[in-house]
Amino acid sequence: MNAKMTSQENCLCGGTYCTIDPDGDEMPNTGRDVLLEDLRQMCIWKKFGPIFWWRYILNYDSFCMINGNIRQCSEDALKGSDIPVQDIDDCVENSFAGPSNYQSCHRNKYLEEESFEVQLKGVFLFPGVTVNDFTYRGNLIPPTGVFETVCESFTNMPESCTKYFNALTNGEENTFDDPMKILVSNDHHINVGVAAAAVLVIFACFVCLCYRRHLQTEMKR
């Protein structure tokens, strides 16, 4: 782990939890912002359940791919999802053990849980994708590999998957580049399994692009 990653602005609890600066030193976000966003999303799932989590994720995609400030676009997405911002802030704050300070804290119970899951599932690359407790080892870009793997994991494929494979078989142009066409089935209910794959792939691609930009900035230096 290099010194830039472990600088205070990219860490929580004095270097216990760190991640890379997602957009480079000259941009507004830091590794700490990424970690706090992870905690916000875990709090949404734990306090409000999967329906509100999916609503937030879709709103996050709308707000945050345009607005580069993670904290601000997260607040916008929370408000757009009818989730009280203060409830999530309190949940994040209460997940820390020790002093109420992001640098002086001792541990974070949610990040400890995630760390255990990463080790348990053998995730050695970031971002990582796990399908039915098996770690996906293929390429994340283009994202079709992950999508196909998730579809093939079903005993009975959802309609979104069969349409996709039929289009490939017939040589037709598919609609994978539009995630909303995959997420919503004909009865207008979100297909949770396929939606999970689509959102994970979208987020993974976003992180990869941010990291690539970060590496290009470092190489120029």
Side-chain angles (χ1 to χ4, degrees), residues 69 163 174:
N69 186 295
K163 281 186 176 180
N174 62 68

Side-chain angles (χ1 to χ4, degrees), residues 56-114:
Y56 173 82
I57 288 298
L58 294 175
N59 280 325
Y60 189 95
D61 178 59
S62 300
F63 288 114
C64 302
M65 293 301 181
I66 300 173
N67 183 346
N69 186 295
I70 292 177
R71 172 64 191 185
Q72 184 57 56
C73 65
S74 177
E75 287 190 9
D76 293 340
L78 286 169
K79 292 173 183 176
S81 306
D82 295 324
I83 300 172
V85 175
Q86 190 59 52
D87 285 5
I88 300 305
D89 285 345
D90 290 344
C91 173
V92 170
E93 192 72 26
N94 293 333
S95 66
F96 287 94
S100 180
N101 179 293
Y102 292 143
Q103 280 306 311
S104 303
C105 52
H106 298 154
R107 295 284 173 184
N108 182 281
K109 60 183 179 181
Y110 296 153
L111 293 178
E112 287 294 311
E113 291 173 6
E114 291 300 302

Side-chain angles (χ1 to χ4, degrees), residues 87-173:
D87 285 5
I88 300 305
D89 285 345
D90 290 344
C91 173
V92 170
E93 192 72 26
N94 293 333
S95 66
F96 287 94
S100 180
N101 179 293
Y102 292 143
Q103 280 306 311
S104 303
C105 52
H106 298 154
R107 295 284 173 184
N108 182 281
K109 60 183 179 181
Y110 296 153
L111 293 178
E112 287 294 311
E113 291 173 6
E114 291 300 302
S115 178
F116 176 77
E117 287 294 321
V118 165
Q119 296 178 47
L120 183 66
K121 292 181 169 59
V123 178
F124 301 109
L125 297 175
F126 179 81
V129 175
T130 301
V131 180
N132 290 346
D133 289 330
F134 289 95
T135 301
Y136 173 76
R137 301 295 186 189
N139 293 327
L140 296 177
I141 300 176
T144 49
V146 179
F147 180 71
E148 291 171 3
T149 300
V150 172
C151 284
E152 290 167 353
S153 71
F154 286 97
T155 303
N156 298 308
M157 283 192 191
E159 185 179 356
S160 301
C161 292
T162 56
K163 281 186 176 180
Y164 169 81
F165 284 114
N166 287 339
L168 287 183
T169 301
N170 297 329
E172 300 171 8
E173 193 164 331

Side-chain angles (χ1 to χ4, degrees), residues 27-38:
M27 301 299 285
N29 300 307
T30 65
R32 184 188 301 168
D33 292 322
V34 174
L35 292 168
L36 291 174
E37 174 57 26
D38 287 346

Side-chain angles (χ1 to χ4, degrees), residues 207-221:
V207 172
C208 284
L209 291 173
C210 289
Y211 186 55
R212 183 178 300 173
R213 186 186 305 170
H214 170 73
L215 288 179
Q216 290 172 344
T217 302
E218 290 298 305
M219 289 175 67
K220 289 178 182 179
R221 292 179 181 177

